[in-house]
Amino acid sequence: MPRFSVIVPARGVQGYLRACLDSVLEQDRQDGDLLELIAVDDCSADATGAIIDEYARRDPRPAALHLRRPSGAGPSRNAGAALARGDYLLFLDGDDTLAPGALAAVDARLRACGDPDVLLWDHERTDVWERRRPSGDGDLLRAAGDAVFDVARQPAVLGVEPAAWNRAVRRDHWTGRGLAFADGPYEDIPYAYESLLTARRVAVLDRVCVTWRERRRGSAATTPGPHHLVAVERYEELFDRLDGLLTEAGGGEGEERAAGEEDGRLPLLTVLHARMTERLLAVLDDPDRILPADRAAFFRAASRCIRRHRPAGVPLPAGLRSYRAYRSLHGARDLRRELAKELRDRGGAAARTAGRRYYGLRRHASLDPDLVLYGADGNRAVSGNPYAVHRKAQEIAPQLRGVWAVHEDARDAVPAGADHVTVGSRRYWELLARATYLVTDGDFPGAARRPGQLCLQTHRGTPLAATGLDTHRLAAAGPGPGRVLEHADRWDFCLTANQYAGEIWERAHPSGYETLASGFPRNDRFATASAADVRAVRAALGVRPGATAVLYAPARHDLPGDAAPLLDVVRLAAALGPRFQLLVRARPHDPWPPALVEAGTVLDVSGHPHVEDLCLAADALLSDFSPVLFDYANLDRPIVVHTAGWDAFRLTRGAYVDLLSGEPGDTPGVLARDEAAVAGAFHSGRWDGPPAASLRAAFRERFCRYDDGLAAERVVRRVLLGEDDLLPQLPPGERRTAPSPRAAERVLAQECGATRTLTGPGAVVG
């Protein structure tokens, strides 16, 4: 029988769940009898359930429980506890983690105390910047010392955070006292207090055992609304049951409690009341929980509760004497905040342009329900996922009017006939203010969130280098954390091509958007292109018939901190020889010898707007650490990775995947350090051999799962047409892949042969 049953309720935490589960499983002893892990998927819409199943398949210790309907954290914990076999129950939220060695320390303390009913421990808090702060419970825990007690003799411990995850409860105590979590918000308040109030033997461990993550969005606690009134109801129910709870607990260790003696209970009631008052006032003052329209109702409910259960001699906080008094104090605080903000912003006000002021005015005008504003590649192109969404919208939602936002110096990138607007112009601010839909793979300069407006973040690719908040500790740091969060707060939808990327977006760009497991719209072309399309794009680019076209598409090398070297294209072309043709998509690069260009050995495709066309034209991809690796894998064509500079890349840019590990799912194909090694891989046949094909298949399975050719339609229907559900993914057996250039040539040869047969001598033409 395991010593501990660790129950993890999880809903919509795909970005954090792996760290949570790993932190639990790493606690176990070699004999494997320390813990069992019960992970409960509360009908998550994201990949949370899939992650739980993945862990359960590869390790016998986790048990996966999938609830049939969304139930909330409380019922999820109760369902997990019903399956538990351990001596003690521990509850850990799916976005929190256990500290290394925590369970061993808890086990040692429990044994030293003779297995008490409840053991409390300390925790720390971490925010989106991974800054860690103490809980504030340390002094209370240290004051309790090494004694084993009941709360009547140590009432101060009722002041610790009333949470599910800062205690271990003996399973016999859980079942014997009928403990359970409530249904709905603030579900841990009854459990936290009742587990202590009904316990005969309580002990503490003065050690941080849990890191609790403060989420910005995505939970009931961070969503404003009237549901926060439930906090008052929880405390009302607790105080109404208090006499019965203390009577159930009976005497303390070694002596009988004098039930009903008010003097003996006064310290306990005082601590409970003080903790309740502090908690309810914190909720009342939190604008992320209580909307202005709900503040008066919450104040009155909280004030009644605090007054009703106030112990004799305890003063009433000044702000609770009346709502007018509270508003006066609250208004003074708000005024001080506004004055401070005005002083901070005063310098920036002078720089505010007339266009931005106009934008502010037009944001009060009605939204245009049929207007979609598109932007791509820093508003310097008409390409990528936004372009694919636009094309599909023209096909299935022609009532929508799409306009592209581009910078003045990029207007030549706009195709003929496409409606567009110059960033910063008066019309730009008008459209930005009134468009119902914003579709971008980056951002619209000057944009601010507006009620009723929907912003779709398509991204430019699956991330390999660190992104968002994950960049702030790297040498080549990206935007500051404040800008990252401000940017993410404008998103309503976030696209992902695979589960891996969805987990990263949620963790590195935390906010309240909905992640769509849609696939990347631009990659639809890899499933829909025909043999004729492949031949046409090769001809348009100037690829020689019969040549093996290698697309060289390294990561961008114009970013601060880049140290990964580019291949010498001239040397590489000479090493490959005349059978090969290099399509080079790299900026910046040195000029090439005219003879090389004139011979067509090297084609500069850096200015081509659609990378998906370049991929279709290529027999193989040669890249270093570019996200195009993930897209090209859809085509199931050979990939060669140039590995020079990998250590520098990881140091300066970070890397989520170890491309050089050689492990299936990490490495997409053959690895080569320099020009000679690249040429050797092609001349030897290793580039397209069975080992490379096996690695490529595993890489494709991991990173191309959502790309099935229907991504653009899926996105248009869900976001622009407002349909409730995404189109289902096509099963693997029903998906198609664009033919390779060799296969496209065979199709052409077959077509030509059929034509000659039909029109040659003796053919019957009728």
Side-chain angles (χ1 to χ4, degrees):
M1 180 181 295
R3 180 65 163 160
F4 299 109
S5 294
V6 183
I7 296 146
V8 177
R11 177 175 173 81
V13 290
Q14 63 179 6
Y16 307 97
L17 184 57
R18 292 182 187 277
C20 172
L21 300 181
D22 288 342
S23 77
V24 176
L25 295 174
E26 290 166 359
Q27 305 278 332
D28 212 354
R29 295 188 290 243
Q30 289 185 351
D31 56 16
D33 66 346
L34 184 63
L35 66 90
E36 67 173 353
L37 171 60
I38 302 172
V40 185
D41 172 31
D42 187 21
C43 292
S44 298
D46 63 2
T48 294
I51 295 171
I52 291 173
D53 289 339
E54 175 190 331
Y55 273 72
R57 282 194 302 270
R58 72 187 191 200
D59 191 316
R61 292 170 296 171
L65 175 60
H66 297 274
L67 301 185
R68 294 185 177 182
R69 61 177 182 272
S71 302
S76 296
R77 294 189 187 109
N78 295 338
L83 302 178
R85 299 177 297 114
D87 297 333
Y88 281 86
L89 305 182
L90 281 74
F91 299 95
L92 185 70
D93 290 347
D95 51 1
D96 299 337
T97 54
L98 280 178
L103 288 190
V106 169
D107 185 35
R109 179 66 177 142
L110 288 171
R111 295 183 188 280
C113 296
D115 283 357
D117 295 326
V118 180
L119 179 72
L120 297 171
W121 55 71
D122 203 356
H123 68 280
E124 63 182 3
R125 299 166 180 253
T126 185
D127 58 19
V128 293
W129 294 281
E130 301 294 334
R131 297 178 302 194
R132 297 174 185 263
R133 306 191 314 277
S135 67
D137 290 344
D139 290 342
L140 294 174
L141 297 173
R142 282 188 289 274
D146 294 330
V148 178
F149 52 86
D150 67 6
V151 293
R153 289 162 179 76
Q154 290 273 14
V157 298
L158 292 172
V160 302
E161 183 75 21
W165 31 258
N166 60 354
R167 65 200 66 205
V169 173
R170 194 163 51 85
R171 186 158 59 93
D172 289 345
H173 181 54
W174 168 276
T175 56
R177 298 298 183 187
L179 299 176
F181 290 91
D183 186 2
Y186 299 92
E187 74 289 339
D188 45 2
I189 289 176
Y191 163 76
Y193 288 115
E194 290 177 20
S195 64
L196 292 174
L197 290 167
T198 59
R200 295 176 182 270
R201 306 179 71 250
V202 179
V204 303
L205 173 62
D206 182 18
R207 173 186 170 130
V208 171
C209 293
V210 169
T211 298
W212 177 66
R213 182 175 299 278
E214 296 176 334
R215 298 285 297 277
R216 300 182 63 244
R217 303 283 191 275
S219 68
T222 58
T223 303
H227 62 275
H228 291 284
L229 280 165
V230 173
V232 180
E233 297 173 11
R234 299 289 188 224
Y235 281 107
E236 289 279 15
E237 294 166 0
L238 174 66
F239 273 88
D240 287 344
R241 295 187 58 206
L242 196 56
D243 285 344
L245 293 172
L246 293 175
T247 301
E248 285 178 26
E253 186 172 17
E255 57 183 292
E256 187 175 339
R257 177 185 294 129
E261 291 185 5
E262 186 64 27
D263 290 344
R265 295 189 182 189
L266 184 59
L268 184 149
L269 293 171
T270 301
V271 173
L272 269 180
H273 186 269
R275 192 71 176 93
M276 174 185 71
T277 302
E278 178 187 1
R279 181 80 177 272
L280 293 181
L281 290 181
V283 174
L284 178 63
D285 285 341
D286 187 349
D288 290 333
R289 301 192 189 203
I290 305 300
L291 295 169
D294 299 325
R295 184 164 287 128
F298 189 94
F299 171 86
R300 294 186 180 99
S303 178
R304 281 195 301 268
C305 181
I306 293 169
R307 289 169 180 270
R308 178 186 174 199
H309 301 293
R310 180 164 56 113
V314 173
L316 188 70
L320 291 183
R321 291 171 186 164
S322 68
Y323 187 54
R324 177 177 295 179
Y326 168 78
R327 282 205 310 176
S328 176
L329 292 173
H330 188 81
R333 286 196 298 268
D334 285 350
L335 180 60
R336 287 195 295 271
R337 293 193 193 106
E338 289 298 321
L339 288 174
K341 183 178 185 300
E342 182 179 340
L343 290 173
R344 288 195 304 269
D345 295 345
R346 190 170 291 171
R352 196 172 295 130
T353 65
R356 290 177 184 267
R357 288 196 295 271
Y358 178 70
Y359 171 58
L361 293 173
R362 298 306 294 160
R363 289 180 68 234
H364 296 287
S366 60
L367 289 168
D368 184 336
D370 296 328
L371 179 59
V372 188
L373 188 63
Y374 293 93
D377 197 13
N379 300 296
R380 296 187 179 280
V382 176
S383 63
N385 289 318
Y387 177 70
V389 172
H390 184 206
R391 291 284 299 273
K392 183 57 67 173
Q394 289 176 315
E395 176 187 335
I396 66 175
Q399 74 277 13
L400 298 178
R401 179 168 60 95
V403 181
W404 284 88
V406 293
H407 286 285
E408 177 69 32
D409 58 357
R411 295 177 65 182
D412 291 344
V414 180
D419 192 1
H420 64 282
V421 61
T422 302
V423 172
S425 67
R426 186 180 180 88
R427 184 174 180 239
Y428 168 77
W429 296 114
E430 170 78 18
L431 298 183
L432 185 62
R434 299 200 58 209
T436 296
Y437 308 101
L438 306 178
V439 179
T440 178
D441 60 11
D443 201 4
F444 291 103
R449 190 168 181 85
R450 178 182 178 181
Q453 198 170 57
L454 296 177
C455 179
L456 168 64
Q457 174 57 249
T458 71
H459 298 289
R460 299 179 193 175
T462 292
L464 173 60
T467 180
L469 296 179
D470 290 343
T471 66
H472 72 282
R473 292 193 183 95
L474 297 171
R483 289 186 59 193
V484 169
L485 299 179
E486 180 184 354
H487 188 199
D489 284 346
R490 290 198 286 269
W491 306 348
D492 295 283
F493 299 96
C494 167
L495 300 193
T496 181
N498 47 68
Q499 178 182 319
Y500 148 90
E503 296 175 27
I504 292 173
W505 300 137
E506 182 172 315
R507 185 181 64 252
H509 299 264
S511 194
Y513 53 79
E514 177 183 345
T515 298
L516 299 182
S518 59
F520 276 160
R522 73 178 182 204
N523 291 348
D524 286 353
R525 190 143 163 77
F526 298 149
T528 60
S530 65
D533 293 328
V534 173
R535 295 195 302 268
V537 73
R538 282 170 68 93
L541 292 171
V543 178
R544 299 191 308 267
T548 298
V550 179
L551 173 61
Y552 176 41
R556 289 179 59 187
H557 284 253
D558 56 351
L559 298 176
D562 271 326
L566 287 168
L567 286 165
D568 186 319
V569 172
V570 176
R571 186 183 305 168
L572 178 60
L576 286 173
R579 287 195 304 112
F580 293 86
Q581 198 168 9
L582 283 174
L583 313 181
V584 180
R585 185 177 187 260
R587 288 190 182 274
H589 61 72
D590 295 328
W592 301 320
L596 198 66
V597 178
E598 291 170 4
T601 306
V602 176
L603 299 177
D604 185 1
V605 295
S606 301
H608 197 286
H610 304 298
V611 68
E612 55 271 26
D613 282 351
L614 303 180
C615 292
L616 283 174
D619 294 273
L621 172 69
L622 170 61
S623 185
D624 47 15
F625 321 124
S626 169
V628 75
L629 291 166
F630 303 106
D631 302 308
Y632 192 81
N634 278 283
L635 291 168
D636 195 22
R637 301 181 192 174
I639 297 173
V640 177
V641 181
H642 174 219
T643 63
W646 174 245
D647 291 338
F649 179 86
R650 288 202 297 182
L651 178 65
T652 58
R653 303 279 300 281
Y656 293 119
V657 179
D658 187 357
L659 291 178
L660 276 59
S661 73
E663 294 295 323
D666 285 351
T667 302
V670 174
L671 305 178
R673 183 163 184 81
D674 54 25
E675 294 83 2
V678 171
F682 281 100
H683 290 313
S684 67
R686 289 189 300 114
W687 67 296
D688 200 14
S694 178
L695 287 172
R696 186 169 69 246
F699 194 80
R700 185 186 188 199
E701 168 65 22
R702 181 180 180 189
F703 295 112
C704 304
R705 185 167 297 181
Y706 301 159
D707 286 332
D708 62 353
L710 296 175
E713 181 175 355
R714 198 170 279 125
V715 170
V716 170
R717 292 190 179 280
R718 176 68 183 91
V719 178
L720 303 186
L721 296 180
E723 296 183 3
D724 291 335
D725 300 314
L726 287 176
L727 290 175
Q729 300 282 338
L730 285 178
E734 297 180 18
R735 302 184 185 189
R736 67 176 300 273
T737 302
S740 68
R742 296 175 188 173
E745 291 301 324
R746 287 196 296 269
V747 170
L748 176 62
Q750 292 168 359
E751 291 173 350
C752 291
T755 301
R756 284 194 296 271
T757 300
L758 289 173
T759 59
V764 178
V765 181

